[in-house]
């Protein structure tokens, strides 16, 4: 295996001859020591050369080479990179280099998750337009990324806040709308009574007060837009079985969120007095095959229906009074009847507290023949019901008194009932009681406008495709007060209905940024397509993402929404694949040490702390201080500026330190003292090349009999290193193990006598292979080492293409 792996590495050293120039070649002198000055010159030179190489690298649909799509989660443009960014992008960049060196077509794109509340708040604070603030931040962060010389495909760069992107986010919304998966309904929001605006959860402090006005936040009902992901719940749950390469912990988190999809919800029309309400009531049951036995519905007192003023006004005064005085023992019959979706008969609706309610389902379907609790309830309230289950001792129970489903075994009836319900659009999508609709409405300006027009006659009408995008209008200022700023722009909001032509109004909510990021990986496949979100053939060629790298904080919601979108696009024929991500690499946080004064709770910086005694104290006051590791934050004085680190240690040292010591999924404790180990190792590698060059220039040294034992050891360690490091790059992604193995190989090479260095092809091959397999992690440094070795007047190994750069 090691020989095969070594051949794959060697045969990939093919590049443009224009990259043959290097510092050594220009000066004709190899620096004996790897000083800071040498390090700066090496990285300055190879940054330019590798950028030229990266700019020339183009994907081609006509290329028959195997593809590899490596994607790091795109960042929110806050304006400055932090060490967490450096870690995740170093990981993806290392893998991209490795796959390129193995002659695969590699897509390694970068873009910007550019909409959202933080930019809007920053713009309000600085009295700037959000787009001006956002694009300025993007420009700064792009320069920082380019200064790290990461091999991103900048031609694929996308911005979620640009019209050429959010047009297709709106197109996705319209497709979901036409598929019956988008609807508007009442839901609770956080309301600031002073600023008269809706607050996101993160804008409400621990005391339940507004972050800006300080007012006590109220809960209000507001009509908002939702995506119904329930029809895809079972597909999403079953799809996890097709992802064996996912981290088991992440798969478990997704599975626990989705849970087993063993039941479904049915839609009931509600009758109040002599009329029916516009919206149906969705009620979940674990036993859809017993639907003909449904005799009543019980609502939790907190159910949204019971807080809808339009509904409450239709109830009798007595019922309204009782609702306001509900306790845990009260059972209240409502003036509401539910129309059974199958029998078309009406069944009563009650309000009560019940232990069976879940967080997201506050309605229970009473089926007395299937539950002793429901049977007791029906008897207590003199409710008639059908017995639809015939128990059988040896065979499966039968369904009876259920029209065309009668006589079927229970399992067959379940499938038949749910199939019929889906066809009739009355529910039947297998899910779990934990499933809920995806809220995408935001009463904000800086987001993708929801492409809906509200017409008094036609109700909610999606904007026609040829009128997309619905452009976000320019605003002169933002206050952060009141409802959506878009509602104040009369020339934008007032339009004609595209269906009937009457006067109508645009929707003023914008979309949650989770919608933008739920499909961006598809746009990267075809970023400049002006006629569709992506060409299906192009996307099918590159998808799925072979490796998705990002933070574990996105292990549930972002991944769930992204998977839902691809499952939906697969179902409508736009994608071959259901699953977007073949494998996940979840990286931990970069942690900095914090120092917190015990008595005041104040965070202080490292230079304000005395750690010489048994108790850590604050310098000057002598107050006790608690030291611990925490997520890097400006407010906690434990952040590290990547630019300072790169300036001090260099790009490749920073990269190697980020990859060393611990697995990628573990939190990393930032400790600059540990960087010295990487610096020393690089110096030793440089010395090995120096010794090779110098020894080959001296007079001949005859190898002794004992020297051949060194060759055997070198060969053994080289084969182990090539095989193990290749596995780390291609399968396990344990870069710390790869570095440790290369360090072990370098230690073996350092211990051989000059006679071996001068005469041994095994030594030369081992040092060459070490440079090659180090290159994905330290491309600048490895490139210079390779040029040093390639400059030898005579090589003992003839299978390398010495005239080409090591990274190609």
């Amino acid at each position: 295996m090691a020989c095969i792996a070594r051949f794959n590495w060697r045969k990939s050293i093919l590049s443009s001859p224009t990259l043959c120039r290097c510092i050594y070649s220009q000066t004709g002198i190899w620096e004996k020591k790897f000083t800071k000055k040498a390090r700066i010159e090496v990285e300055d030179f190879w940054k330019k050369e590798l950028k030229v190489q990266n700019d020339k690298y183009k994907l081609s649909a006509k290329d028959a080479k195997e593809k590899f799509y490596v994607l790091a989660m795109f960042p929110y443009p806050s304006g400055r990179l932090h060490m967490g960014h450096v870690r995740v992008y170093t990981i993806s960049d290392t893998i991209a280099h490795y796959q390129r060196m193995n002659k695969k077509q590699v897509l390694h794109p970068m873009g910007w998750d550019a909409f959202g509340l933080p930019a809007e708040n920053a713009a309000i604070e600085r009295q700037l337009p959000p787009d001006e603030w956002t694009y300025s931040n993007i420009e700064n962060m792009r320069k920082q990324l380019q200064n790290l010389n990461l091999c991103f495909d900048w031609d694929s760069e996308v911005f979620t806040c640009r019209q050429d992107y959010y047009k297709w986010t709106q197109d996705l919304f319209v497709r979901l709308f036409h598929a019956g998966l988008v609807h508007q309904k009442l839901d609770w929001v956080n309301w600031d009574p002073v600023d008269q605006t809706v607050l996101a959860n993160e804008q409400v402090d621990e005391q339940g007060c507004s972050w800006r006005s300080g007012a006590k936040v109220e809960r209000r009902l507001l009509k908002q837009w939702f995506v119904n992901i329930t029809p895809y719940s079972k597909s999403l749950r079953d799809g996890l079985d097709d992802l064996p390469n996912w981290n088991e912990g992440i798969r478990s988190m997704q599975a626990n969120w989705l849970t087993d999809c063993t039941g479904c919800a049915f839609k009931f029309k509600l009758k109040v007095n002599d009329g029916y309400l516009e919206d149906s009531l969705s009620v979940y049951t674990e036993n859809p095959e017993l639907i003909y036995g449904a005799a009543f519905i019980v609502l939790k007192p907190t159910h949204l229906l019971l807080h809808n003023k339009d509904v409450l006004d239709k109830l009798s005064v007595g019922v309204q009074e009782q609702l306001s005085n509900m306790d845990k023992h009260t059972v209240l019959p409502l003036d509401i009847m539910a129309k059974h979706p199958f029998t078309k008969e009406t069944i009563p609706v009650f309000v009560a507290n019940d232990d069976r309610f879940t967080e997201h389902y506050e309605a229970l379907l009473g089926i007395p023949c299937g539950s002793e609790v429901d049977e007791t309830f029906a008897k207590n309230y003199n409710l008639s019901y059908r017995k639809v289950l015939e128990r059988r001792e040896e065979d499966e129970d039968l369904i009876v008194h259920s029209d065309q489903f009668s006589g079927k075994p229970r399992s067959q009836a379940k499938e038949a009932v749910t199939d019929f319900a889906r066809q009739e659009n009355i529910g039947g999508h297998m899910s779990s009681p934990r499933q809920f609709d995806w809220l995408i409405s935001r009463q904000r300006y800086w987001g993708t406008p929801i492409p809906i027009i509200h017409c008094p006659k036609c109700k909610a009408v999606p904007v026609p495709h040829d009128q997309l995008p619905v452009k976000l209008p320019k605003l002169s200022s933002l206050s952060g007060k009141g409802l959506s700023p878009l509602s104040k722009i009369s020339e934008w909001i007032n339009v004609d209905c595209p269906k009937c032509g009457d006067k109508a109004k645009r929707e003023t909510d914008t979309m949650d940024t989770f919608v933008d990021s739920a499909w961006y990986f598809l746009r990267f496949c075809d970023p400049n397509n002006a006629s569709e979100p992506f060409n299906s053939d192009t996307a099918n060629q590159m998808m799925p993402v072979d490796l998705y790298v990002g933070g574990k904080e996105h292990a549930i919601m972002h991944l769930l929404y992204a998977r839902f979108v691809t499952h939906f696009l697969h179902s409508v024929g736009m994608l071959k694949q259901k699953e977007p991500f073949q494998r996940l690499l979840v990286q931990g946080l970069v942690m900095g040490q914090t120092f917190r004064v015990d008595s005041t709770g104040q965070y202080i910086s490292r230079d304000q702390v005395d750690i010489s005694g048994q108790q850590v104290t604050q310098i000057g006051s002598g107050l006790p201080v608690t030291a611990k590791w925490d997520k890097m934050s400006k407010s906690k004085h434990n952040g590290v500026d990547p630019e300072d680190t790169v300036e001090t240690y260099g790009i490749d040292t920073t990269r190697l330190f980020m990859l060393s010591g611990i697995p990628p999924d573990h939190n990393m404790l930032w400790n600059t003292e540990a960087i010295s180990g990487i610096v020393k190792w690089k110096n030793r590698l440089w010395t090995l090349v120096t010794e090779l060059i110098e020894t080959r220039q001296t007079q001949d040294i005859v190898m002794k009999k004992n020297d051949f034992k060194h060759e055997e050891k070198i060969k053994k360690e080289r084969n182990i290193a090539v095989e193990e490091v290749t596995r780390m790059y291609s399968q396990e992604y344990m870069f710390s193990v790869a570095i440790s193995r290369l360090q072990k190989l370098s230690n073996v090479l350092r211990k051989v006598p000059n006679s071996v260095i001068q005469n041994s092809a095994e030594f030369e091959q081992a040092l060459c292979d070490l440079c090659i397999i180090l290159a994905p992690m330290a491309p600048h440094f490895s490139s210079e080492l390779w040029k040093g070795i390639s400059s030898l007047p005579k090589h003992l190994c003839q299978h390398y293409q010495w005239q080409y750069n090591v990274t190609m």
Side-chain angles (χ1 to χ4, degrees), residues 267-271 276-280 337-339:
K267 297 177 184 178
F268 290 78
K269 296 294 290 182
L270 297 180
K271 186 178 182 181
Y276 283 94
L277 300 179
E278 181 179 345
D279 296 327
S280 298
M337 299 296 287
K339 186 177 181 180

Side-chain angles (χ1 to χ4, degrees), residues 399-438:
I399 298 300
V400 296
H401 304 135
S402 300
D403 293 343
Q404 70 266 37
F405 309 107
S406 297
K408 292 182 181 292
R410 189 168 183 174
S411 58
Q412 291 182 19
K414 185 173 189 175
E415 185 174 345
V417 166
T418 53
D419 282 347
F420 178 83
R422 289 193 293 270
Q423 292 170 15
E424 296 296 315
N425 195 29
I426 54 175
H429 297 283
M430 300 304 291
S431 64
S432 78
R434 289 195 62 184
Q435 292 302 291
F436 57 95
D437 294 341
W438 172 16

Side-chain angles (χ1 to χ4, degrees), residues 656-668:
L656 287 168
F657 180 62
M658 281 289 180
L659 298 171
S660 65
I662 58 170
D665 59 341
H666 288 203
N667 289 338
M668 180 182 188

Side-chain angles (χ1 to χ4, degrees), residues 63 103 130 160 208 240 257 283 346 562 628 669 685 706 775 779:
D63 197 327
K103 292 303 166 190
T160 60
L240 294 173
W257 187 263
V283 188
T346 57
K628 70 171 188 176
L669 307 183
L685 293 176
N706 278 346

Side-chain angles (χ1 to χ4, degrees), residues 241-288:
D241 296 334
D242 299 325
L243 299 170
N245 293 322
W246 272 35
N247 175 288
E248 187 57 39
I250 303 300
R251 282 210 310 167
S252 295
M253 291 170 72
Q254 286 268 307
N256 291 337
W257 187 263
L258 291 163
T259 69
D260 292 331
C261 300
T262 54
C264 73
F266 293 112
K267 297 177 184 178
F268 290 78
K269 296 294 290 182
L270 297 180
K271 186 178 182 181
V272 185
N273 300 327
D274 294 328
Y276 283 94
L277 300 179
E278 181 179 345
D279 296 327
S280 298
L281 175 68
S282 180
V283 188
Y284 180 85
T285 176
E286 288 283 351
N287 302 298

